[in-house]
Amino acid sequence: NESWAGLEEAPEKKSWKELNVEERRAAIELCYSFETWEGYDMTINYGPFPFAKPKRRYLEWADLPEEIQIIANGTLEYTEDKWNYLGSAKIETLGWDELTDEQQSDAVDLGFYKKTWDCFHSHYRSYDWNELSTNQQDIFRLLGWGEAKWPNNETPSSYEKQWDQLSTTEQSVANAVCYFEHNWDRSNLKEEEIAISSGSNPMNPTQGFDASDISDVLNGRKNSANTSKRFTTSFIALS
């Protein structure tokens, strides 16, 4: 076998699109994805979400470097209040594909890319129901949504609860679409300090996953409390 030391120079780095099928398969075996190969998302995910929580977004406005405040105040139209009061900025109701090129560029400077923006900001509400994966549809059903309610913005009663009033199952599936206590309750960053990571080991998206868990709970065949901890990791595996 050829050793690392035997290589005279590193192979030329290709973009993900330039890789052939065998090269992509080898990259995946080494735990690369499009986002990590291209360098969009190199953050280790310690949380219960399908993607690592964007660190910069959950800092209080006053703690942001001045250059980041200027970017946020540009095409994304954040003000100090809109930044600090989570969920109050109109831009966060839009999906990534609804942003202009300039807004996407500024969002990248804030630490976002398509998957993290659509999960942590719009929570996939910009998607048509049939654009959601089957797993995502099941997650939203557990929060009270359905195909008929989705396009009409008929917000389920679960959204009227505070985070600590949600059941364990509701909290777990809410995590799977990037809700957590502070953005669910629309907290003020001036009053809340948000932890960026929890635990010492990265999430393993396939550990203990049973694809039948969600449908079993939906159909009353399994106790939701016993399976809710696995819903978040299933989101990555199937989406």
Side-chain angles (χ1 to χ4, degrees), residues 74-117:
T75 65
L76 301 176
E77 300 182 345
Y78 281 107
T79 62
E80 182 172 357
D81 284 344
K82 288 180 180 178
W83 180 271
N84 283 335
Y85 283 93
L86 297 179
S88 65
K90 183 179 180 181
I91 194 73
E92 296 182 359
T93 66
L94 301 179
W96 180 265
D97 292 339
E98 296 175 304
L99 302 179
T100 66
D101 290 344
E102 292 79 7
Q103 288 171 331
Q104 289 181 0
S105 178
D106 285 348
V108 168
D109 287 339
L110 295 182
F112 285 91
Y113 63 102
K114 178 177 171 61
K115 288 186 177 180
T116 51
W117 182 277

Side-chain angles (χ1 to χ4, degrees), residues 50-51 93 95 114-129 131-132 136 140 150 176-179 235 239:
F51 316 106
T93 66
K114 178 177 171 61
K115 288 186 177 180
T116 51
W117 182 277
D118 284 346
C119 195
F120 281 95
H121 274 349
S122 64
H123 309 283
Y124 305 101
R125 289 292 296 124
S126 63
Y127 288 42
D128 291 335
W129 183 260
E131 292 179 317
L132 300 172
Q136 289 170 329
F140 280 113
W150 188 260
V177 288
C178 296
Y179 279 111
F235 180 93
S239 61

Side-chain angles (χ1 to χ4, degrees), residues 5-224:
L7 292 174
E8 294 183 1
E9 59 183 32
E12 182 180 353
K13 176 67 180 290
K14 297 180 181 179
S15 70
W16 185 263
K17 291 182 179 179
E18 292 173 329
L19 298 178
N20 61 37
V21 174
E22 291 184 0
E23 289 171 332
R24 288 191 186 186
R25 186 177 293 117
I28 291 170
E29 287 293 321
L30 294 172
C31 299
Y32 280 104
S33 64
F34 167 76
E35 287 80 14
T36 54
W37 184 270
E38 296 290 351
Y40 292 141
D41 185 8
M42 303 299 290
T43 307
I44 297 174
N45 185 10
Y46 291 104
F49 316 106
F51 316 106
K53 186 188 293 182
K55 296 179 181 180
R56 190 169 283 157
R57 175 61 189 93
Y58 301 108
L59 295 174
E60 182 187 344
W61 179 269
D63 293 333
L64 296 174
E66 183 179 358
E67 62 270 21
I68 296 301
Q69 292 180 354
I70 292 172
I71 291 170
N73 189 232
T75 65
L76 301 176
E77 300 182 345
Y78 281 107
T79 62
E80 182 172 357
D81 284 344
K82 288 180 180 178
W83 180 271
N84 283 335
Y85 283 93
L86 297 179
S88 65
K90 183 179 180 181
I91 194 73
E92 296 182 359
T93 66
L94 301 179
W96 180 265
D97 292 339
E98 296 175 304
L99 302 179
T100 66
D101 290 344
E102 292 79 7
Q103 288 171 331
Q104 289 181 0
S105 178
D106 285 348
V108 168
D109 287 339
L110 295 182
F112 285 91
Y113 63 102
K114 178 177 171 61
K115 288 186 177 180
T116 51
W117 182 277
D118 284 346
C119 195
F120 281 95
H121 274 349
S122 64
H123 309 283
Y124 305 101
R125 289 292 296 124
S126 63
Y127 288 42
D128 291 335
W129 183 260
N130 59 13
E131 292 179 317
L132 300 172
S133 68
T134 300
N135 193 56
Q136 289 170 329
Q137 290 176 0
D138 286 344
I139 286 169
F140 280 113
R141 285 192 182 98
L142 285 167
L143 288 173
W145 291 101
E147 186 171 4
K149 285 184 176 181
W150 188 260
N152 297 323
N153 289 316
E154 297 178 21
T155 306
S157 58
S158 62
Y159 283 69
E160 298 173 3
K161 302 176 183 178
Q162 292 294 105
W163 182 261
D164 60 7
Q165 296 174 321
L166 296 175
S167 68
T168 302
T169 297
E170 288 172 329
Q171 289 183 359
S172 295
V173 295
N175 284 160
V177 288
C178 296
Y179 279 111
F180 54 99
E181 179 180 3
H182 302 293
N183 66 357
W184 181 274
D185 289 343
R186 295 175 173 251
S187 298
N188 182 354
L189 293 176
K190 293 181 69 173
E191 300 172 357
E192 303 282 353
E193 182 175 347
I194 298 179
I196 299 303
S197 63
S198 59
S200 56
N201 296 311
M203 291 290 294
N204 179 347
T206 59
Q207 185 175 12
F209 169 61
D210 181 349
S212 65
D213 279 348
I214 294 178
S215 60
D216 281 348
V217 172
L218 284 167
N219 292 296
R221 295 192 296 268
K222 190 174 287 188
N223 186 313
S224 62

